[in-house]
Amino acid sequence: MQMTRRDLFALAAGLAAVGLIQVPANASEDAVEAAIKKFAGGMPETGGVEIGAPEIAENGNTVPIEVSADGATEIMILAAGNPNPGVGTFHFTKASAESRASTRIRLAGTQDIVAVAKMADGSTKMARREVKVTIGGCGG
């Protein structure tokens, strides 16, 4: 059987499509779980963290996010569906007026935003919030 250039491109496109659909979704969830465990030293309890984000973001390039947790010393934000889920970590001291931070992030598509907080008493807390994106910000 002789393969033409057109056949080769069709095969390559098919393999790429299968790889793009399956690999990042699994890899991203594993990366999110690993980042949470590394930051928190295990899986944190749910609750105690507030995530302010729009329910629907028309453009994934600039999605406003606000996180807060009373008594937190650090808050880490993850975008569970992005190829690189780490968004940032905010550090708070006794001189901080509040344990609250806001920023704008880029989302590849509809996904969960995860916020994990280290509390002053040594405990860790976590919250998730889904943001629906109509136009992806990471090339989507």
Side-chain angles (χ1 to χ4, degrees), residues 3-51:
M3 184 174 278
T4 66
R5 186 170 24 163
R6 183 174 286 161
D7 293 335
L8 181 62
F9 282 128
L11 179 62
L15 291 174
V18 169
L20 289 175
I21 292 170
Q22 293 177 352
V23 175
N26 295 336
S28 182
E29 273 304 314
D30 292 343
V32 169
E33 190 171 317
I36 291 170
K37 287 180 179 177
K38 182 178 179 183
F39 180 77
M43 286 307 287
E45 65 181 68
T46 304
V49 180
E50 297 292 325
I51 302 173

Side-chain angles (χ1 to χ4, degrees), residues 91-112:
H91 302 271
F92 306 101
T93 65
K94 292 179 182 179
S96 301
E98 294 181 281
S99 300
R100 175 183 305 269
S102 63
T103 187
R104 293 184 179 273
I105 65 175
R106 178 175 281 184
L107 299 178
T110 298
Q111 60 187 284
D112 284 345

Side-chain angles (χ1 to χ4, degrees), residues 74-91:
E74 295 179 63
I75 300 176
M76 177 180 68
I77 302 173
L78 302 166
N82 280 359
N84 296 316
V87 172
T89 303
F90 297 92
H91 302 271

